[in-house]
Amino acid sequence: MTDKTVGRFAPTPSGRMHLGNLFCALTSWLSARSRGGSYILRIEDLDPLRCFREYSELMEEDLKWLGLDWDEGGLADIGPSKPYSQCDRSDIYEQILETLRQKGLLYLCFCSRSELHAANAPHLSDGSPIYGGKCRNLTEAEIKEKLKKRGGATRLIVPDEDVTFTDMCYGEQTQNLVTHCGDFILRRSDGVFAYQLAVVVDDALMGVTEVVRGRDLLDSSFRQIYLHRLLGFEPPQFGHHPLILADDGRRLSKRDKDTDVGFLRTRFTPEQLLGQLGFAAGQIDRPEPITAKELLSCFSWDKMPRNDIKIDAAKFFD
Ligand SMILES: [Zn+2]
């Protein structure tokens, strides 16, 4: 074992990247590279109905345009842990799932979306439902009967205990899995492996030592750390960065054309865009043009703002 940093960027090719995706790529690259670490580009194309190869191609081109490079993965699928596209890793996920199944930690859940989101079901403040374990004790006969009508989602039983970790940006974080999410899904009822399973298996098997991503995914970290440990893996370090929001506080979406990288590339040089992003991330004092390599020597998690970053489109895109 070496203690070398291995970072990664793991985008979903469901559309052209937007400014927020670029910010995530940049932050994860800076965090790994500034410590002399290696960097993986993994393609999170689990959902065949939402993901398209043309977006993966554009994504690679956009990252290269910005001056970001990677040692493993990508569409060329180079490296010791290939394949690096999740759509090609189903056999690995199935094997891992089977080990959990044999330990009696999984069960099938037949609850519909509307049942899970029912008004009387407990919800977190962000609106996500907490699963109360309704299907945990179904009998063999009940399962057989239900399977005639529809496929079941595979859930993992979670223990009533706190998971704690220290985030590179937000500091110490604690969550109880039972009160915050309940037994969670590792495979959807349509057979697609869940993000939580794939991301843990991939990060572990690819030797990733740090996971850097937007703070909207911080909540997932507790489940992922639990799963890492359950599978006998050492969890990576986590660093969540603030989100880039539109000036009215809205989350950016791949449907917003004005923050789409294709559009940005017609208005900015990579150095101009990096200057804006580096400034927004508190890494440099002025939004002046800079290269990705130059940003490496300035990068520090201590300078990263904790609050989300509102981009004033009128000013930013001037
Ligand atoms: Zn259920």
Side-chain angles (χ1 to χ4, degrees), residues 18-27 30 65-66 68 242-244 252 259 261 264 268-284 286-290 295 299 303-305 309 311 316-317:
H18 58 56
L19 196 60
N21 304 129
L22 266 198
F23 185 60
C24 183
L26 177 65
T27 308
L30 288 172
W65 174 81
L66 203 64
L68 307 186
L243 301 179
I244 298 218
L252 302 183
T259 56
V261 178
L264 294 173
F268 291 98
T269 65
E271 291 78 17
Q272 285 173 322
L273 198 55
L274 286 165
Q276 293 283 356
L277 288 175
F279 177 67
Q283 304 297 321
I284 47 177
R286 279 187 296 273
E288 286 171 356
I290 191 166
L295 270 173
F299 181 79
K303 296 193 228 165
M304 184 67 72
I309 301 159
I311 292 288
F316 192 81
F317 301 122

Side-chain angles (χ1 to χ4, degrees), residues 243-255:
L243 301 179
I244 298 218
L245 305 176
D247 49 0
D248 58 2
R250 230 174 358 100
R251 290 267 192 100
L252 302 183
S253 139
K254 282 179 178 153
R255 290 183 298 274

Side-chain angles (χ1 to χ4, degrees), residues 82-313:
K82 67 182 184 181
Y84 291 86
S85 290
Q86 291 186 329
C87 68
D88 298 326
R89 297 176 64 79
S90 300
D91 293 350
I92 302 172
Y93 306 140
E94 181 51 52
Q95 249 177 39
I96 298 267
L97 210 57
E98 186 53 34
T99 64
L100 296 173
R101 198 175 284 127
Q102 282 172 8
K103 287 181 184 162
L105 295 172
L106 305 180
Y107 63 90
L108 289 175
C109 166
F110 299 92
C111 295
S112 65
R113 222 185 136 66
S114 56
E115 279 177 281
L116 295 173
H117 287 267
N120 61 353
H123 281 70
L124 289 177
S125 52
D126 71 354
S128 54
I130 301 165
Y131 189 67
K134 186 177 172 210
C135 300
R136 196 189 290 173
N137 297 312
L138 292 177
T139 64
E140 287 289 328
E142 285 169 322
I143 292 170
K144 226 171 153 185
E145 201 50 41
K146 284 181 187 287
L147 277 173
K148 284 183 195 160
K149 291 185 207 128
R150 53 181 303 200
T154 303
R155 284 189 189 268
L156 173 71
I157 296 172
V158 299
D160 183 8
E161 63 187 37
D162 288 349
V163 175
T164 297
F165 71 97
T166 304
D167 189 81
M168 289 190 270
C169 184
Y170 292 98
E172 189 169 305
Q173 305 288 322
T174 300
Q175 187 181 91
N176 181 292
L177 291 178
V178 169
T179 51
H180 271 81
C181 70
D183 300 341
F184 58 94
I185 290 179
L186 296 186
R187 191 174 196 174
R188 296 181 348 198
S189 59
D190 61 3
V192 173
F193 291 99
Y195 165 73
Q196 306 294 353
L197 176 73
V199 79
V200 166
V201 170
D202 291 350
D203 283 336
L205 298 185
M206 293 175 185
V208 168
T209 65
E210 64 169 41
V211 170
V212 173
R213 57 192 182 188
R215 66 148 188 88
D216 51 333
L217 285 167
L218 194 147
D219 210 55
S220 288
S221 305
F222 304 99
R223 274 165 275 172
Q224 290 169 16
I225 287 169
Y226 174 68
L227 196 46
H228 270 285
R229 292 185 180 140
L230 187 65
L231 294 169
F233 302 132
E234 172 81 23
Q237 265 200 297
F238 287 85
H240 292 85
H241 58 71
L243 301 179
I244 298 218
L245 305 176
D247 49 0
D248 58 2
R250 230 174 358 100
R251 290 267 192 100
L252 302 183
S253 139
K254 282 179 178 153
R255 290 183 298 274
D256 288 331
K257 285 299 159 213
D258 57 348
T259 56
D260 165 296
V261 178
F263 174 79
L264 294 173
R265 283 178 63 169
T266 67
R267 305 287 294 268
F268 291 98
T269 65
E271 291 78 17
Q272 285 173 322
L273 198 55
L274 286 165
Q276 293 283 356
L277 288 175
F279 177 67
Q283 304 297 321
I284 47 177
D285 297 333
R286 279 187 296 273
E288 286 171 356
I290 191 166
T291 65
K293 285 216 166 72
E294 286 165 341
L295 270 173
L296 279 177
S297 55
C298 326
F299 181 79
S300 161
W301 275 103
D302 296 337
K303 296 193 228 165
M304 184 67 72
R306 307 296 188 261
N307 294 328
D308 288 341
I309 301 159
K310 278 190 195 168
I311 292 288
D312 181 345

